[in-house]
Every structure is written in C-alpha cells, then in structure tokens.
Amino acid sequence: MNENKYPVIVVGSGAGGAMAAYVLTKAGHKVLMLEAGRDYDPKTETPMFKTNGEAPLMGSGNVDKDFGFYDATVDGGWSVPGEPYTTGEDSEFLWWRARMLGGRTNHWGRYSLRFSEHDFKGKSRDGLGADWPFEYHELAPWYDKTESLVGVCGTNTGLDDMPDSSEGVLQPPPKPRVPELLVAAAAKKLGIPTAPMHRAVLTRAKDDRQACFYATPCGHGCSIGAAFQTTTSLIPMAKATGNLKVVTDAMVKNVTVDDQGKVTGVTYIDKNSHEEVSLQAKVVILAASACESARIMMNSKSKHHPKGLANSSGQLGRNIMDSTGTGLGAFIPSLAGRPKYNEDGHTANHLFIPWWGHKAHANNELDFPRGYHFEISSGFKQPGSGVSSGLQGYGSSLKQQVKDKYGAFVYLSLRGEMLPNEHCYMEIDEDVKDKWGIPVAKFHWKWSKHELNQVEHGLKTAKEILETMGATINHPLPSAEKAILKGGQIIHEVGSTRMGASPKDSVTNQWGQTWDCDNLFVMDAGVFASNPHKNCTLTIMTLAMRNASWLSEQMKKGAL
Amino acid sequence: MTEKYEVKLSRRESLKWLGALSASSLIPAGVAFAVETELTKGIGHWPTLKLSPITAKGYGKDPNLIIPPKSPWPKTLTQSQLNLVATLSDILVPREGEVPSGSEVGVPDVVDEWVSAPYSRQQRDRTTILSTLLWIGDEAKLRFGKTFNELSSAEQLMIIDDIAYDKNVKNEEFAQIIPAFSRFRSLVLAAFFSSPAGMKDIGYIGNVPIMGDYPGPTKEAMVHLEQVVKKLGLTL
Ligand SMILES: Cc1cc2nc3c(=O)[nH]c(=O)nc-3n(C[C@H](O)[C@H](O)[C@H](O)COP(=O)(O)OP(=O)(O)OC[C@H]3O[C@@H](n4cnc5c(N)ncnc54)[C@H](O)[C@@H]3O)c2cc1C
Ligand code: SF4
C-alpha cells in the first residue's frame, strides 16, 4: 500500500477499533491501525496459574497496578505516567486507560449483555436523555453476528430486560456456585429474578481459541484465548487477511483537514523517536475510547471546525455518562464452614440479577427513571492480601475464625443506568499538556437525583436480599451521596460524540459517521445515545461491526 | 519459638536480605529513625516514630508478570525486628501437626517486603507495624526486664492476651496497641494463607485446569445448601 495515503486509518486497537479493522480487512480493504500503547502478546505475557503469594505485596493493588499486580493493564490504570487529565472545580472523575495493543479488552470483565428495545427508546418513554436513531430489531442480527464471532456464553431467559439471541448463538454457561444459588433463592422470595450472566468467555473451543479451563482470573488476561480480547482474536484474524498493518507506540494527536474542512488524515507522535508523523487517509475511524476520541476531535480545530472537529452541533464532549456503581456486602452465617469445592469457575459471575423493574416503571411506582442490575461477588477465592475483619485472639482459634468466614461473604454490586446531564462533560484544558505536547482532557461531573434515588433503592434492595439470606446488617445504610462511586469509576464512559437522528443535537448519524465530515467515523462508545445498565462493550463491538460493514459498502459503491 | 529468624529464600527466592547487614539493631541501616517513647503512668506508653520516608521506586506500570520482580525494593526491617515478627507470627499462626507455622512459610519476609514498600497504603502500615513491634518490646522490658524473645512462652502470652482482644480496648493502657496489633495480625494471616501451605490449610482447591465443563458444586456442597435454604424458609 502507498505509504503515504491509506484507504482507512483506524485509531485504537480496543473493542471498537479492532472490530472495525476486522470487518474492513475481511471485506478486502487495506487498513492501517495506530495504537498509542506498546505491542502486547497475551500468549507469552499472561501470568497464568501464578499465585498471589508469588507476587509482590501478595498481589494487592497500588498506584502502579491499581487492580493488583497481575492485572493485565500495561502502562495505565487510573493514571498514565506523563498523560494527566484534570477535573473542574467540585468535580470528581476517574478515567481508566490502558496503553497497550488491545486496550482495555485485555483485562475487562467480559460481561456482555445486550441492550433491549426498551433501552434504545428511553426518551420516547419517559422524556429523559436521548433516543437512539434506530430500533432494537435493526441491531439484533448484528448482536447475533457479534456474539458468534466474539464467543459469548449464557442462556436465553425470555426476561424483558434480556433480549434473546438467535438459536445456537450463545455457548452454554457454566453451572452456578453455592453462594449464587443462595442469592437466587433469596431473590426469588422477593420476586426478583436471577439469570446466568452473559460473558465473552468460550465454553466451547472456537477458531484458534480454546475453551475456558475454569482457573486463572480473566483480569490477568487469557493466554489460551478463551476470554475474549482483541489481541487473541480480531487483531490476529485481521492480520491474517494480509490487509492490516498495525503501528504501536503511535499517539495520535489530531485529525487533519483540507481547505474545505474535509478530513485528510491524522498526525501522530512516534513515542520512540518523539517525532511527529502525518499520514493521509481516505477515511479516518476514531476508536481510541470515548473520551480519547473526543479529545482528538477537540484538539483538531481548524477554520472550518472552530469548536473542534465535526462539532457544529456543540455536542462534542457533552452527554458523558458512566454506569452508576455502589454495593453492599455481608457475612452469611449459614455459609460459614460449608463444604469446600473448586469455586473458581470462569472466575466471574455465573449468575447475576438482571433489572426486574420494567413493570414498576411502567406503573410509575419508582422515584428514579432507569434500571440497574446486581453482580454477585462471593466464593472460595484464592487467598490474598485481605483477610476477614473482626478477628480476635491468636493461635488455632484465630485460624479457625478465618477458616469459618472463608467463602461466607456475599457482596452485591449495583451497576445502573445514568442519564446525561449538562454538568457531565469534557473539554480541553488549555493550560495542561501531556508529555507528547498534546492538550489534555478536563472533566466535569455531577450526579443528578435520578442516579442518587436509584442508588438508594439499590442499597435497600441489596440489604433485603442479604437479610433474606440470613445476614445481620446492623449498621445504617450510607446515604446515596456517600455510597455512589465516582464518575468514571465503573469504567463504562460513553456519549462524548453521541449519535442521533439530526445534526442539530448529535455528532454522528446512526452509522457513526460524523454529520460534518463524511469520511470521519467514530466507532467506540462515544457514539452512545444512552448508557443502559448493561455493560457497554458488547454494544460497542456490535455497532462497530454494523457500521464498518456499512462503511465498506459505501467505499465499494464509491460513495466514499 | 523462633530464636533467630532466618530469611526464607525459598518463598520467592528473595535476593540477599538487605536488613541482615545491620544485624540485631532496632535501627535500620541508612534510615534516619528516631524513637521517643512516652511513659505516662496509668495511661501506658506509645512510641512516636519519626521515620524517614521510603524513597525506593515501585515496580512501575509494566513489570514482568511472568517472572515477578524478586526483590522489588530494599527491605528495611532489622534482624531483631525480624526475629520479633517471627516470634509473633508463630504465636498467631503456630504449627499444627503437618501444617507449618507462620515463620516456617516465610511470613516475616512478606511483612518486611510490605512495610518496606514505597506505596501509600504500605507506608501507613509501616508506622502502625513498627509501632506495634516497639510497643511489644517496650512492654516486655517494663513488665519483665527482658526482650520479648527472651521471655518464656507464658510471659509472652501474658502480654499478647492483653492486646489480642477488642474487649480490652476499654483499658486505656491498650487503647492504641489493640487496633495496631490487629492490623499486624491481619497482615500475618494474609501472608500465611496466601502461601502454598496456607492455601491448602484454608481449603482453597482452585487454580487447576479443568477439562470439559465446570462441574459446579459437589454433591456434599449441594446437600448442605439444600439444608441452608430449607432452614431459611427459601426454595431453590
Ligand atoms: C477492569 C475493567 C473491567 C471492565 N469490565 C467490563 C465488562 O465486564 N463489560 C463491559 O462491557 N465493559 C467492561 N469494561 C469496559 C471495557 O473495557 C471498555 O468499554 C472497552 O474496552 C472500550 O473499548 P474501546 O475500544 O472504546 O476502548 P479501549 O479498549 O480502551 O481501547 C482504546 C485503545 O485506543 C488507544 N488510544 C487511546 N488514545 C489514543 C491515541 N491518541 N492514539 C492512538 N491510540 C490511542 C488506547 O491505548 C487503547 O489501546 C471494563 C473495563 C475495565 C478496565
Ligand atoms: S477463567 Fe477461563 S476464560 Fe478466564 S482467563 Fe482463565 S481460562 Fe481464560
């Protein structure tokens, strides 16, 4: 390929970028992928079967490795050295990044739930937030294709919150564990359903990837390819077409435009030589993660795009949403001293609690507009740096207290839908540059009563479930303001370049094509019009697959 | 009980133990370290430490995960501190039949690595844990005129019995040492149970590959669950 003009440049190699590159290269287009992080090979770099005891500080987390020593994140976490971000007054926001090939797909939780018909049309229902510019049934076949390609285990439940996949798409889920079954029994008594979690984890071998062998936490990465990450699936498959070239350590600074404001390519900093490199492309796809893509666009101002690239709507950087997060845990006396067995499983939820309140919402019985789900944390986990609290004494009786409590804690984590609001947005901090000389993002954040009321409801419900399991919870529940986690902390940030039906109130159309530049696409969570409580990544990939397929048709037709 | 704690090279093939160079001193080599112990009659004593901060570097954001850094930062406990940690580890986690004691699985190395680490949580624990060690040493001197390791088991336990239970916290004399000792105890337990012998002792049987489908709970585990569910008035 001509070294100076590429048919397509994709920025970012995570969920969105790798899917876009996969679809396009399969369709015969030459693609150049630029990735800011270093090259990364899960086959040789994943610490499989390593124990906490073998790691410094028993594997516990710190500023270097926020989620523990073995977490697969490279050069990232809540902070990236030399690449700060700032926050506005009275705003707290946390931004998780990973500077590596494959981005955050190397260590994500792999929870992969479809959004439903209900989720795409929230505004039509309650007047809040924004509708998506299409219906669920238009995306459903693409969900099927994505789930088949990525490999998702789970079952069709028929629940209104969980749209079914087509026959034969899902792989069988693993059997539930004892504490999960007890949660299910307690929830059932309260009229709350539980269901097998859907996870991008293979329980049957596929392509070059093996089935899960039910050991080794997926957050460490998965050298056998069972847990989906783009570095063991989409990227090698795209490379195998011969149409993909990947350049790592390439930090994209801005998108370039011509005199007419049409996109001509990108400029990046080669992190090894510190030199600026400009490349030309017919089409540029940004998939650097929602806030990075918006940052690149804001840093690409020009005569035709004075407020930032493709920002005639003024919506660039607005409408940022995360999931809400909080949780409650308790010691369950009846689980103390229960018979031991191997509870590793696929090392995350086998069962979870999907949102059950659609009817209550329809009947106006709730004082918050959008739903949530609970993830269940429990089990005979590999011991690490934490031990149970409230221990007394020493010697054999002390050890016995630890053993009795082992596997008898259950924690319910709430993950809920947030609505966009005018106080949650990002801009460029003109006073601060990162070490590559690129102006940094500045975040503003404020929860509204919608989220706080939801969190309050969630805490009460979690308490009820735990008490029904026999827990004694003496302490008063914290206020929602105290209990809600910070913006960004659930790592589901979306909406910074939202799609819509009109160029007036959205940055892209339903294909992720910016209204202002027909050869600039966004294929990460920036395009989300809302942020349903179901974790975002399956939908990032599904949209990228659908929209890259549409783009391919346009290019083949000569429209682009 | 351990006389002199020897660093367990096997635990993570630790590099040469640096603290050994300053053998049997309470003051780590090269570390400015001032101790003032206030003795107030009736209220007891509590050491005030002025520790110079640990300036070592962490392992960074891209450490080798396959071969974890063996000795990511210099250890800072002195030989006598290590000996005391070993003795306390074995009081907290004594040998039980085939199951080794705390010091036998290298707990003091882990404690040393922990308190010597350059991260904020560990730096907070360092003050707590060094204060705990000093308090116990001072208490042994005050009560028996000897170091803690020179005491008989019975004498050692007289001190530990006073500080190992939350109920004694009402006694002002122990108000500070009880929560501090509790933090130390948690660290010792974590270090023990995350060792291979400790994992076995607690009954963790994962981290082994399973061919085919995940088998789920054993029959015995299900029978137990069914009883629990019934007792709680629930149904599966
Ligand atoms: C611990 C953890 C658990 C999670 N669990 C779940 C879960 O269970 N389910 C779920 O749905 N989601 C989960 N997520 C979120 C999920 O990881 C993200 O939604 C997803 O990875 C986003 O995909 P992306 O392609 O937009 O961005 P990323 O995966 O972050 O990839 C973006 C890539 O672009 C690169 N890049 C950034 N800026 C530039 C630039 N200027 N130039 C060139 N390259 C650049 C980055 O280095 C990165 O490699 C989790 C995240 C974390 C951290
Ligand atoms: S639990 Fe299964 S999917 Fe997850 S990392 Fe281990 S082998 Fe891979």
Side-chain angles (χ1 to χ4, degrees):
Chain A
M1 98 179 80
N2 175 344
E3 280 302 308
N4 292 320
K5 181 137 189 169
Y6 295 89
V8 183
I9 288 181
V10 173
V11 181
S13 61
M19 181 61 89
Y22 170 80
V23 168
L24 291 169
T25 53
K26 278 278 187 187
H29 306 280
K30 297 271 180 198
V31 173
L32 174 72
M33 176 183 273
L34 298 175
E35 165 54 51
R38 74 156 167 89
D39 197 9
Y40 172 73
D41 179 10
K43 289 215 162 84
T44 57
E45 296 194 58
T46 309
M48 304 296 273
F49 300 109
K50 294 271 173 188
T51 63
N52 291 322
E54 291 171 274
L57 307 176
M58 295 173 269
S60 63
N62 52 50
V63 287
D64 280 338
K65 295 296 296 262
D66 298 270
F67 287 172
F69 181 77
Y70 292 126
D71 176 71
T73 305
V74 167
D75 291 333
W78 297 124
S79 59
V80 174
E83 297 184 29
Y85 54 92
T86 63
T87 50
E89 231 174 286
D90 300 327
S91 282
E92 280 186 307
F93 185 82
L94 288 170
W95 191 16
W96 186 281
R97 293 165 290 173
R99 288 280 178 260
M100 62 201 297
L101 190 68
R104 294 176 291 179
T105 69
N106 293 302
H107 58 249
W108 64 305
R110 278 87 172 175
Y111 291 149
S112 298
L113 299 162
R114 289 184 180 205
F115 297 174
S116 66
E117 198 177 323
H118 192 85
D119 293 323
F120 289 110
K121 296 289 167 195
K123 185 172 184 187
S124 299
R125 223 175 33 254
D126 59 23
L128 299 167
D131 281 342
W132 292 65
F134 54 75
E135 305 270 347
Y136 171 73
H137 70 81
E138 294 172 67
L139 205 58
W142 296 100
Y143 269 131
D144 279 345
K145 282 186 201 173
T146 304
E147 286 170 344
S148 300
L149 175 65
V150 158
V152 175
C153 66
T155 45
N156 286 333
T157 60
L159 294 168
D160 53 11
D161 199 41
M162 297 179 75
D164 285 348
S165 305
S166 291
E167 202 58 41
V169 167
L170 297 175
Q171 298 200 344
K175 281 189 190 152
R177 312 168 178 97
V178 163
E180 293 169 325
L181 289 167
L182 186 57
V183 170
K188 189 164 95 180
K189 187 174 176 191
L190 301 171
I192 296 171
T194 43
M197 180 52 103
H198 288 202
R199 280 191 86 215
V201 163
L202 299 182
T203 57
R204 298 288 178 269
K206 183 178 164 45
D207 307 323
D208 290 341
R209 300 160 58 197
Q210 291 174 48
C212 175
F213 50 44
Y214 308 105
T216 72
C218 308
H220 301 181
C222 185
S223 70
I224 63 168
F228 174 82
Q229 50 203 94
T230 61
T231 38
T232 49
S233 53
L234 299 178
I235 294 173
M237 287 155 96
K239 274 188 178 159
T241 64
N243 291 328
L244 179 68
K245 183 177 166 193
V246 180
V247 179
T248 47
D249 295 316
M251 180 77 188
V252 172
K253 188 178 168 189
N254 61 280
V255 175
T256 49
V257 293
D258 65 16
D259 294 346
Q260 271 69 53
K262 193 176 163 69
V263 165
T264 53
V266 303
T267 302
Y268 74 90
I269 313 286
D270 176 333
K271 285 162 75 171
N272 299 313
S273 69
H274 291 245
E275 262 161 37
E276 228 176 86
V277 183
S278 285
L279 297 175
Q280 306 231 305
K282 277 179 147 166
V283 173
V284 171
I285 299 176
L286 296 179
S289 80
C291 299
E292 289 280 11
S293 291
R295 177 186 172 208
I296 292 170
M297 289 165 72
M298 289 179 182
N299 278 326
S300 306
K301 281 185 199 145
S302 64
K303 194 174 94 211
H304 280 88
H305 303 281
K307 297 186 292 180
L309 184 57
N311 190 23
S312 61
S313 65
Q315 294 301 312
L316 178 61
R318 298 268 147 188
N319 312 306
I320 300 182
M321 296 162 271
D322 187 18
S323 298
T324 55
T326 189
L328 192 71
F331 169 61
I332 309 295
S334 59
L335 291 181
R338 67 194 170 93
K340 304 282 188 312
Y341 66 99
N342 183 343
E343 274 189 343
D344 280 1
H346 67 21
T347 70
N349 281 205
H350 290 189
L351 288 185
F352 83 117
I353 298 179
W355 174 239
W356 64 95
H358 284 227
K359 287 214 180 72
H361 263 148
N363 298 336
N364 278 322
E365 290 163 17
L366 300 171
D367 66 351
F368 57 95
R370 301 295 169 88
Y372 61 85
H373 73 259
F374 282 118
E375 294 167 13
I376 303 167
S377 160
S378 64
F380 293 124
K381 299 218 170 94
Q382 185 184 111
S385 67
V387 280
S388 37
S389 57
L391 301 169
Q392 303 295 316
Y394 53 87
S396 303
S397 79
L398 170 68
K399 283 178 71 185
Q400 196 54 47
Q401 293 163 48
V402 179
K403 290 183 194 176
D404 281 346
K405 291 184 172 175
Y406 180 55
F409 277 94
V410 171
Y411 192 88
L412 300 174
S413 302
L414 173 151
R415 298 288 178 261
E417 174 166 359
M418 148 187 196
L419 279 157
N421 74 62
E422 58 175 350
H423 304 291
C424 297
Y425 64 98
M426 62 181 280
E427 58 186 342
I428 292 299
D429 190 330
E430 301 293 348
D431 301 327
V432 184
K433 285 185 177 159
D434 68 14
K435 73 168 162 193
W436 316 111
I438 308 172
V440 308
K442 180 174 185 174
F443 294 97
H444 300 265
W445 200 262
K446 203 170 168 185
W447 297 113
S448 79
K449 69 172 193 313
H450 300 315
E451 291 79 38
L452 297 173
N453 290 354
Q454 179 202 64
V455 158
E456 192 181 322
H457 185 272
L459 286 172
K460 278 191 203 142
T461 308
K463 183 169 185 239
E464 258 184 285
I465 296 171
L466 293 165
E467 285 175 343
T468 307
M469 294 168 71
T472 309
I473 299 172
N474 290 324
H475 57 86
L477 291 175
S479 68
E481 285 85 354
K482 284 229 170 76
I484 195 166
L485 294 173
K486 291 174 187 161
Q489 205 168 353
I490 306 302
I491 322 182
H492 293 156
E493 70 289 353
V494 309
S496 48
T497 54
R498 81 169 171 201
M499 58 165 63
S502 154
K504 285 208 192 73
D505 61 6
S506 58
V507 179
T508 81
N509 62 19
Q510 63 162 319
W511 310 110
Q513 181 184 38
T514 61
W515 290 111
D516 300 350
C517 304
D518 65 359
N519 61 343
L520 176 66
F521 286 73
V522 182
M523 296 210 186
D524 54 34
V527 297
F528 281 33
S530 74
N531 197 12
H533 66 86
K534 297 138 195 175
N535 320 37
C536 51
T537 310
L538 178 70
T539 303
I540 296 176
M541 293 193 281
T542 303
L543 281 175
M545 185 194 260
R546 169 182 180 263
N547 294 350
S549 301
W550 184 82
L551 167 60
S552 166
E553 281 168 30
Q554 303 307 305
M555 288 194 294
K556 284 186 176 160
K557 276 198 300 205
L560 276 172
Chain B
M1 218 139 286
T2 325
E3 280 303 304
K4 181 171 191 293
Y5 177 72
E6 277 174 39
V7 176
K8 293 285 174 297
L9 290 170
S10 61
R11 189 174 166 95
R12 207 158 16 82
E13 275 124 318
S14 320
L15 276 188
K16 214 160 128 194
W17 176 68
L18 284 143
L21 302 172
S22 62
S24 84
S25 152
L26 264 177
I27 292 132
V31 179
F33 186 100
V35 187
E36 269 170 51
T37 297
E38 224 172 282
L39 235 188
T40 328
K41 266 228 163 67
I43 303 176
H45 52 99
W46 188 252
T48 309
L49 303 186
K50 282 196 200 105
L51 299 170
S52 63
I54 300 249
T55 52
K57 276 217 171 84
Y59 47 60
K61 284 192 171 278
D62 190 12
N64 185 332
L65 304 185
I66 304 288
I67 309 162
K70 283 176 186 157
S71 191
W73 37 78
K75 303 243 176 102
T76 57
L77 291 186
T78 63
Q79 181 67 55
S80 59
Q81 284 172 326
L82 273 176
N83 293 345
L84 180 53
V85 171
T87 304
L88 294 168
S89 299
D90 291 352
I91 291 173
L92 291 167
V93 184
R95 172 171 266 272
E96 294 179 297
E98 292 293 293
V99 184
S101 72
S103 73
E104 287 176 85
V105 302
V107 167
D109 298 320
V110 182
V111 172
D112 197 359
E113 178 187 88
W114 189 276
V115 301
S116 308
Y119 304 109
S120 57
R121 175 174 165 211
Q122 281 73 22
Q123 287 298 287
R124 279 197 302 277
D125 279 346
R126 178 180 179 223
T127 307
T128 308
I129 284 160
L130 292 185
S131 300
T132 301
L133 299 180
L134 281 165
W135 187 96
I136 289 171
D138 290 346
E139 186 69 10
K141 286 250 170 62
L142 287 166
R143 281 202 209 181
F144 304 105
K146 295 180 188 166
T147 68
F148 189 82
N149 276 13
E150 286 164 354
L151 304 183
S152 69
S153 284
E155 288 167 334
Q156 288 177 338
L157 291 188
M158 284 168 75
I159 295 177
I160 300 300
D161 276 324
D162 283 336
I163 64 173
Y165 298 91
D166 286 351
K167 62 179 195 292
N168 294 342
V169 88
K170 280 173 262 155
N171 186 339
E172 252 186 88
E173 203 181 326
F174 306 124
Q176 276 165 295
I177 185 64
I178 286 173
F181 184 70
S182 171
R183 178 67 200 110
F184 173 73
R185 173 172 52 204
S186 296
L187 189 59
V188 167
L189 287 168
F192 172 74
F193 283 115
S194 61
S195 72
M199 286 198 284
K200 194 168 161 212
D201 192 37
I202 206 168
Y204 175 67
I205 43 180
N207 205 33
V208 288
I210 291 171
M211 290 304 136
D213 286 336
Y214 173 64
T218 55
K219 225 174 164 178
E220 196 197 357
M222 281 309 284
V223 169
H224 179 268
L225 173 66
E226 279 154 19
Q227 287 163 356
V228 167
V229 163
K230 207 167 147 204
K231 248 190 12 224
L232 291 167
L234 306 172
T235 53
L236 279 180

